[in-house]
Every structure is written in structure tokens, then in C-alpha cells.
Amino acid sequence: QVQLVESGGGLVQAGGSLRLSCTASGRTVRTYGVGWFRQAPGKEREFVAAIGWNSDITYYADSVKGRFTISRDNAKNTVFLQMSTLKPEDTAVYYCASSRTVETTADLYSYWGQGTQVTVSS
């Protein structure tokens, strides 16, 4: 019902910045929250940030507070993740997901994108 496509990943040096985009299509009328998650090889998927689709509520993982900013453009059905002061430990595949509430738990998200690779070199 909802399709999500991430873009903006790439290779960046430590201390650099990237902006990820997540564009939604389909039945987005039931989308109330959008989150970003990341997963490194051999590790569990972890929460990064979330934003309300029709509210200004935001959540951030402690590991990215002060460095990452989540934002949205409702007219374009797009959510952004501005990542600054990147560290090698930020290297992962980044996924966006939509939910009917604003959540920080992956199991509560209904639709997922395919992911975009972010690699941070030291």
C-alpha cells in the first residue's frame, strides 16, 4: 500500500555530511510517522530517528543526537535525514519506514524501503 524509496547514500570521510531522502508513494494517507533505521553487517537493525507526518514530534537515538536532523516535505511525500559530523561507526545500510503512529521500535513499522548504503571512512 505504501512504497518507500531511499536515496542519498554514499561514501564520505569522517567528519563529513550526507543527506538521505525517503520518498513515499501509494496510500500515504494512513502514514502518521516515518522513521530511519540502520543496520551494519552482523549487527541488529537499530533506530536512528523518527518524525510525525502531521506533527512536529521527533525522536532521536542517543548515538546521533546533535549530529543528525530529521525533517519532512509533506507536499513531496519526502522525509530527509541530514547527517553531519559522520563517524565510521555510522557506516550501515539506512532504511526508512512508515507507521500509523510515531514509533521508535522497528516492529511497529508497517512499510520499509530497500535501503541506501552509507559508508564513512576514517
Side-chain angles (χ1 to χ4, degrees):
Q1 291 184 314
V2 177
Q3 295 80 46
L4 302 169
V5 179
E6 304 96 334
S7 63
L11 175 64
V12 64
Q13 291 182 312
S17 300
L18 284 174
R19 189 178 78 159
L20 306 183
S21 298
C22 173
T23 300
S25 61
R27 298 292 297 272
T28 58
V29 65
R30 295 184 180 273
T31 298
Y32 298 124
V34 178
W36 286 96
F37 294 79
R38 65 188 183 186
Q39 187 167 26
K43 296 186 177 181
E44 296 183 355
R45 185 169 298 184
E46 67 173 337
F47 170 77
V48 177
I51 189 169
W53 191 246
N54 299 115
S55 72
D56 292 327
I57 188 170
T58 57
Y59 298 125
Y60 294 95
D62 289 342
S63 60
V64 305
K65 285 181 179 178
R67 299 189 299 121
F68 291 10
T69 301
I70 189 169
S71 61
R72 53 173 162 78
D73 184 340
N74 296 65
K76 295 184 177 181
N77 290 324
T78 300
V79 173
F80 305 97
L81 184 68
Q82 177 65 50
M83 306 185 295
S84 301
T85 319
L86 283 162
K87 305 174 181 179
E89 50 263 45
D90 295 318
T91 296
V93 176
Y94 283 70
Y95 300 88
C96 68
S98 66
S99 64
R100 301 193 71 227
T101 55
V102 186
E103 306 286 353
T104 61
T105 301
D107 288 346
L108 298 178
Y109 283 80
S110 299
Y111 303 99
W112 294 80
Q114 287 69 52
T116 185
Q117 177 70 48
V118 172
T119 302
V120 184
S121 62
S122 60

